[in-house]
Amino acid sequence: MTLEQLRIFATVAEMLHFTRAAEVLHLSQPAVSAAIAALEAEHGLRLFDRIGRRVELTAAGQLLHGQARAILAKVEEAGTMLAELSGLSRGALRLAASQTVGNHWLPTRLLRFAAAYPGIRVDLSIGNTEQVAEAVRDGRAELGIAEGVVTDSALVSEPVEGDRLRLVVGGSHPWAGLGRVGRDELAAGRWILREPGSGTRALFELAVRGVGLDPAGLDVAMTLPGGGMIRAALLAGVGASVLSDLMLTEDLAAGRIVALEGLELPARPFHLVRHRDRYRSIAERAFVRVAVDDIPSPSRGL
């Protein structure tokens, strides 16, 4: 078993598609198939079930996938430590961020880091809070930045200044002129919400329980995987939601979207998420220093 075979196997296991994996790996599809076939033949085990054009991991494949990711993460960690012998003139930093963080909080910080360290390549993946935690836990990301609270004994979470969620509707919504909505309106409203597992959804449900309502009893007309899609639905006059103030500045100023009182939605921190036991690269430390610690906090009046 070679590292190249493991790298190919792990990519196919994550994409569950030989052709797409080949494209990511910059290999031919026959080369990818041959590597998997050789790995299966060597150990006398099927790692994938081929079902029509789809592939699925077998039980043996699922076990190997976890080990392969851990091994590849260690290899990359070793490479990072060697690259650091030349300082921060070259190297890579793997980040995972949740939706609001990745789309609205992180871009200016990435530009600041790129200006300070142009030789460091940043690879960013975006998902929800649970997916960010999983990426850090599995070694696919050195650092995660999540909206929600991460509770995982393998991870360390550090709060940083984040945003504030706002209860919002489109300017044409019947609630737009109310200023404040009561418990009855909240219970009767149609909602457009992020998916379970997102930090935004978790805080919304906590706020709803705070006014004595059961989130399961609400009329959730749509569950969408990103704030941009929810914003578009609000602009079309469909339903109510909660969204980060980071993505609503222009819409609120123009009256296209209206913020309402009625739910207790305090300022929320974001969270830097690291693995408890893995090596912290100097690229990751430099990113936190330049993109987080050195940026003045508006709440401090700086």
Side-chain angles (χ1 to χ4, degrees), residues 1-2 4-6 8-10 12 18 28-50 55 64:
M1 186 183 300
T2 67
E4 181 65 8
Q5 284 177 319
L6 282 181
I8 292 171
F9 165 76
V12 176
F18 278 73
S28 67
Q29 192 271 334
V32 170
S33 296
I36 298 299
L39 197 56
E40 291 179 323
E42 182 179 355
H43 297 280
L45 290 169
R46 291 184 66 86
L47 300 174
F48 295 96
D49 285 324
R50 283 75 168 174
V55 293
L64 179 60

Side-chain angles (χ1 to χ4, degrees), residues 7-8 18 25 48 51 66 72 95-96 126 189 252 267 283 289 295:
R7 186 170 70 93
I8 292 171
F18 278 73
L25 293 163
F48 295 96
I51 304 173
L72 293 169
L95 300 177
I126 295 180
L252 291 171
R289 184 180 67 252
I295 294 183

